[in-house]
Amino acid sequence: MKTEIIYSPTESALSRAASVLKNGGLVAFPTETVYGLGGHGLCTDSADKIYAAKGRPTDNPLILHLASADEAEKYAYTCPMYYKLAMAFMPGPLTVILPKKEIVPDRVTGGLDTVALRVPAHPVASALLKRCDFPIAAPSANTSGRPSPTEAEHVIEDLDGRIDMIVAGGSCEIGVESTIVSIDGEHLTLLRPGAITPEMLSCFCEELTIDPSLERPLLEGERPLAPGMKYRHYAPKAQVVLLEGSEEDILAFMKEQQEKAEIGLLCSDEQFYALSGKNVISYGKNQQEEAQRLFACLREFDRREHVKTIYAPKPQKDGVGLAVYNRLAKAAGFTVKKVKEQ
Ligand code: TXA
Ligand code: MG
C-alpha cells in the first residue's frame, strides 16, 4: 500500500484524513504525548487493521480519542470523579478507564467491559477529531514492542507502506504516553505513569493506588491492570541496564565504559559533559527533557548496531520521573547493576 505523507496539515488535508478514517482507513497523527495510529473507533474492521499494522496482540485494548471531555457520555458510564479529572486535565495527557457502553465494539476494548478515553491537546489531533463524528481509536504509532514514536520520521520508519496516511507534526512535546488512571467511585488507580503525575492525581482523591507492577517485574501469573503493560515494551535492540549507586560511582563506572564500541551510555547533560566516547547520548538536563527525548534516544541506539548494551543511571521516581523510570525499567526488563561504593 502507498502511504500518503502530509507535511502541512491544511484544512483540506485534515478533511481528507477524516474521510480516510470514516471509510475505515488508518491515519497516523501527532499528539502531545506520542504519535497515534488512528482508526474509526466504533468499527471492528478498523480495529483489526490497527492490530495488523502494528503487529499487536488483540488482547491489548485501544484508547478512544475524543474531541471533547463531554463526549465521554456517549461511550462510557461517567461519574462525578470523571468530571473532576476532566476539568483539571482535559484536553491533555490523561487517559481514564470507565465502564463501557454497548456502542463500543469488544474488539476495541479487547473484550473488557471497560473503555479507555482520552482528549488529546495537540492542535492537529484536536482539529482532526473535530472533523470526525466518531471517536478515533489510536494506540501509539509504532511497531508493537518498539519504542513509541515521538517524531514523524519514527512513524515512517515503522509503518510506511502499512497504513493509508501519516500526518507529520514535528516532535511531540511530552514524549511519553499518557497517564492512565482507572476510576472506581472516588478511588483512583494508576495503571501507567505519564506527565499527569501521582502527586497531581493525589489532589483529587484520598488515596491513589499505584499498580505495583509499574515498579518491579511481573510476578509469575500476575496480570497488570492495563493489559498492554505486560508486554516487553519500549525496547531497543541492545540490552538496557539501569545503574544504581552514588553519583560519583556511576560517573566513574561510565568513564570506564565510555570507549568500548559495544557499550552505549544514556545520561544527563551534566554527565555528558564529563564523558567522551562515540556512544554517549544525553537525553536532557531535567525530567521533562528526559521524558521528551527518551524514545528518540533509544531509537538512535538502534541505528548503532555495534552497541549491544546500554547503561543508563536509574531515573528518580518523583514527578514525571516515574514515567521515565517505568519506560526505561521495562526496556531493561528491570535489569539493574549496582555500581560498587568505594
Ligand atoms: O499517549 C497515549 O496514550 C498514546 C496517544 C496516541 O494517545 N496512546 C497510547 O496507546 O499509548 P497504546 O495503545 O500504545 O497504549 C494504551 C494502553 C495499553 O497499555 C492498554 O493495555 C491500556 O492502554 N488500555 C486500553 N484500554 C484499557 C482498559 N479498558 N483497561 C485497562 N487498560 C487499558
Ligand atoms: Mg503503545
Side-chain angles (χ1 to χ4, degrees):
M1 158 188 309
K2 169 114 182 80
T3 302
E4 184 186 353
I5 303 176
I6 309 261
Y7 286 100
S8 151
T10 57
E11 299 264 321
S12 74
L14 289 173
S15 297
R16 225 146 27 81
S19 90
V20 169
L21 290 168
K22 187 170 187 156
N23 293 317
L26 301 188
V27 177
F29 59 96
T31 83
E32 72 278 28
T33 56
V34 301
Y35 275 77
L37 171 57
H40 193 307
L42 302 178
C43 169
T44 301
D45 284 351
S46 298
D48 282 337
K49 282 193 200 168
I50 291 176
Y51 290 116
K54 275 180 67 85
R56 173 171 171 135
T58 51
D59 68 348
N60 187 1
L62 308 174
I63 297 174
L64 287 187
H65 293 63
L66 312 175
S68 70
D70 46 314
E71 282 183 22
E73 297 284 352
K74 296 188 208 161
Y75 312 110
Y77 295 95
T78 57
C79 58
M81 177 58 93
Y82 168 74
Y83 284 101
K84 277 193 229 170
L85 294 177
M87 283 274 280
F89 303 120
M90 291 183 188
L94 181 72
T95 295
V96 299
I97 309 290
L98 286 168
K100 86 173 190 79
K101 288 191 171 166
E102 192 76 30
I103 185 171
V104 181
D106 283 342
R107 203 67 171 156
V108 167
T109 64
L112 297 177
D113 54 12
T114 52
V115 62
L117 301 175
R118 152 157 150 77
V119 182
H122 192 290
V124 171
S126 310
L128 182 58
L129 280 158
K130 290 203 174 90
R131 281 170 174 75
C132 297
D133 54 2
F134 49 86
I136 300 179
S140 47
N142 52 303
T143 304
S144 197
R146 289 212 72 202
S148 290
T150 53
E151 288 164 28
E153 243 350 276
H154 302 159
V155 183
I156 295 169
E157 214 168 80
D158 283 13
L159 297 176
D160 192 21
R162 303 176 68 84
I163 62 176
D164 299 278
M165 199 182 260
I166 297 171
V167 184
S171 297
C172 301
E173 202 180 321
I174 292 173
V176 288
E177 306 87 340
S178 60
T179 301
I180 305 181
V181 74
S182 84
I183 304 178
D184 180 10
E186 289 296 299
H187 193 101
L188 297 180
T189 306
L190 181 70
L191 310 191
R192 182 175 72 181
I196 306 298
T197 63
E199 293 86 341
M200 290 154 88
L201 291 168
S202 294
C203 300
F204 293 86
C205 61
E206 277 184 13
E207 202 196 332
L208 172 75
T209 305
I210 297 187
D211 185 346
S213 70
L214 301 182
E215 298 182 70
R216 55 151 175 76
L218 286 175
L219 308 174
E220 208 173 305
E222 186 183 22
R223 312 178 96 228
L225 297 169
M229 299 298 271
K230 75 170 172 272
Y231 295 104
R232 180 162 185 258
H233 239 103
Y234 318 116
K237 289 168 195 146
Q239 172 65 54
V240 180
V241 176
L242 299 183
L243 300 177
E244 220 173 54
S246 70
E247 276 179 39
E248 303 79 63
D249 289 339
I250 286 179
L251 190 60
F253 176 81
M254 291 199 293
K255 279 188 173 160
E256 277 165 28
Q257 303 294 323
Q258 63 187 354
E259 298 301 338
K260 298 183 184 165
E262 72 283 10
I263 301 292
L265 299 174
L266 177 63
C267 61
S268 67
D269 277 0
E270 206 182 320
Q271 291 158 333
F272 181 81
Y273 296 127
L275 294 164
S276 57
K278 282 203 200 89
N279 297 319
V280 185
I281 298 183
S282 164
Y283 64 163
K285 62 177 177 305
N286 55 39
Q287 289 176 324
Q288 277 72 29
E289 282 190 13
E290 288 180 359
Q292 210 251 329
R293 287 175 19 200
L294 173 65
F295 290 138
C297 290
L298 294 180
R299 279 179 184 257
E300 177 54 37
F301 280 120
D302 272 354
R303 283 185 207 107
R304 305 180 185 193
E305 282 182 6
H306 49 279
V307 172
K308 303 289 181 233
T309 306
I310 302 167
Y311 288 116
K314 187 170 143 183
Q316 300 290 325
K317 294 190 201 167
D318 57 320
V320 71
L322 181 63
V324 176
Y325 164 75
N326 167 261
R327 305 311 191 273
L328 250 188
K330 291 199 70 179
F334 291 91
T335 311
V336 174
K337 180 176 176 60
K338 287 204 164 68
V339 178
K340 84 170 162 37
E341 288 176 27
Q342 307 197 325

